[in-house]
Amino acid sequence: METSELLKKVRKIEIKARGLSANVFAGQYHSAFKGRGMAFSEVREYQYGDDVRDIDWNVTARFHRPYVKVFEEERELTVMLLIDVSGSLDFATQKQMKRDMVTEIAATIAFSAIQNNDKIGVVFFSDHIEKYIPPKKGRKHILYIIRELLDFKPESKRTDVKQALEFLTSVAKRRCTAFVLSDFYVQQDFLQTMQICNRKHDVVAVQVYDRRSKELPDVGLMRVVDAETGFEQYIDTSSKRLRKAHENYWMNRQQQLRETMNKSNVDMISIATSDDFVKHLLMLFKQRS
């Protein structure tokens, strides 16, 4: 992608994501993702109704008047975005590619994070760790992340969610909030890895999918290619039996995925590329508040 075109796309995403994080998600993000607890802030004179357990006896003795300790929520979080960059994300039959929607969601979460003074880091993964961007604060850092999201070229087209979760568990020493953004186009059991990761961190799964993964149109003979393996075949979509088998396959995979998330205590949302992702994110934030 040419530099001028890339900068235009970065700017366009920045404007949309900043607007959403400032005007739509501001309060919801803050209450949905908690800090590490309460931290001492200052002392002030005792007022009627204050909890006597908060009296600072050293300061009270010094000034011969009762003073209480004031605590505030220790808000600063580290937010990690685990972003699937495998071949299956380069697919679209609806409004946009799955990769484009993942980019917009990631940018919106990132801007919401820095507005709450949180650090943001990124792990790009396929069937291995493609790139790690350590957590930092600031607009400059987020614009760098967005540029990478738009222009990153992965080495592999395949997916391995376990690799990403294991990497996060090893690299993030302190508890963080981690968003796994993927279509979860995988046929692997990552239950145990997800459980271990979510015990150490607060993991949230965001699935982005195309509706054609769920239901096939009746358009006769169709050539289909697996974006991750390159396997190619022709299918007859006029067959009701085939369309039903395709739908059942999708439903079974979704059921297995939801069971994995439920057993791991991980919140999950599924967003179609034809949907408004804002509504889904709002729903997620409100559920966690």
Side-chain angles (χ1 to χ4, degrees):
M1 194 183 298
E2 291 185 6
T3 304
S4 59
E5 184 187 352
L6 178 61
L7 289 174
K8 282 180 185 176
K9 287 195 171 186
V10 170
R11 182 63 179 151
K12 186 178 178 182
I13 288 176
E14 181 193 6
I15 290 168
K16 180 175 180 179
R18 285 184 74 177
L20 287 172
S21 59
N23 302 318
V24 180
F25 295 119
Q28 278 79 10
Y29 173 91
H30 180 94
S31 56
F33 302 100
K34 308 296 183 186
R36 290 190 296 270
M38 304 302 288
F40 172 72
S41 174
E42 60 183 352
V43 294
R44 61 164 171 79
E45 281 198 57
Y46 178 87
Q47 297 173 1
Y48 178 77
D50 284 340
D51 192 332
V52 294
R53 290 173 294 184
D54 292 335
I55 292 176
D56 187 319
W57 295 106
N58 290 330
V59 178
T60 296
R62 193 181 310 149
F63 292 100
H64 307 292
R65 293 193 303 276
Y67 278 78
V68 294
K69 295 176 183 177
V70 178
F71 295 86
E72 61 182 23
E73 185 183 0
E74 193 178 0
R75 261 299 311 167
E76 184 180 302
L77 289 173
T78 295
V79 176
M80 292 297 302
L81 302 175
L82 276 60
I83 298 177
D84 184 351
V85 291
S86 62
S88 62
L89 272 291
D90 292 319
F91 180 77
T93 63
Q94 304 291 307
K95 288 197 308 183
Q96 60 185 156
M97 280 191 179
K98 289 184 277 186
R99 189 179 305 283
D100 295 335
M101 178 169 274
V102 164
T103 298
E104 289 193 12
I105 294 170
T108 303
I109 293 170
F111 275 108
S112 298
I114 63 161
Q115 286 188 351
N116 279 274
N117 203 35
D118 297 338
K119 293 179 182 177
I120 187 90
V122 179
V123 177
F124 291 111
F125 72 94
S126 54
D127 60 353
H128 63 273
I129 304 306
E130 296 270 356
K131 184 164 187 170
Y132 171 52
I133 303 174
K136 286 184 184 176
K137 296 181 184 180
R139 175 177 175 268
K140 186 178 178 182
H141 179 62
I142 288 184
L143 294 182
Y144 168 61
I145 289 172
I146 295 172
R147 281 199 302 273
E148 287 296 301
L149 281 164
L150 288 169
D151 209 36
F152 186 77
K153 301 292 187 294
E155 293 176 356
S156 174
K157 291 181 178 293
R158 294 176 179 264
T159 314
D160 190 337
V161 177
K162 286 175 70 174
Q163 288 276 343
L165 297 171
E166 286 170 357
F167 179 79
L168 177 68
T169 304
S170 64
V171 80
K173 302 305 179 187
R174 301 182 70 176
R175 182 175 175 81
C176 71
T177 297
F179 292 86
V180 185
L181 288 89
S182 173
D183 55 3
F184 292 96
Y185 185 73
V186 292
Q187 296 181 30
Q188 61 176 177
D189 180 10
F190 54 88
L191 172 61
Q192 187 178 13
T193 315
M194 181 66 88
Q195 288 174 329
I196 292 169
C197 190
N198 196 47
R199 278 199 289 268
K200 184 177 180 183
H201 304 293
D202 178 15
V203 181
V204 179
V206 179
Q207 182 190 33
V208 174
Y209 69 95
D210 188 286
R211 288 202 182 278
R212 290 297 172 239
S213 300
K214 184 178 180 179
E215 52 194 35
L216 284 174
D218 182 357
V219 291
L221 205 60
M222 178 189 287
R223 183 174 72 95
V224 293
V225 180
D226 188 310
E228 298 202 2
T229 65
F231 177 74
E232 182 180 326
Q233 65 177 328
Y234 283 86
I235 58 173
D236 183 8
T237 61
S238 63
S239 166
K240 275 188 179 181
R241 186 176 174 184
L242 183 139
R243 294 200 306 273
K244 187 63 180 174
H246 178 83
E247 184 181 349
N248 288 340
Y249 175 71
W250 163 264
M251 298 298 286
N252 289 335
R253 260 185 46 197
Q254 284 299 101
Q255 182 62 30
Q256 290 171 8
L257 182 61
R258 292 206 169 274
E259 284 177 5
T260 294
M261 299 308 173
N262 288 337
K263 288 176 182 176
S264 305
N265 256 341
V266 169
D267 291 326
M268 174 183 162
I269 52 172
S270 295
I271 310 172
T273 52
S274 54
D275 289 347
D276 178 4
F277 74 83
V278 174
K279 292 179 182 176
H280 289 271
L281 277 186
L282 274 175
M283 196 185 313
L284 170 71
F285 290 176
K286 286 175 181 176
Q287 283 174 352
R288 292 175 58 96
S289 298

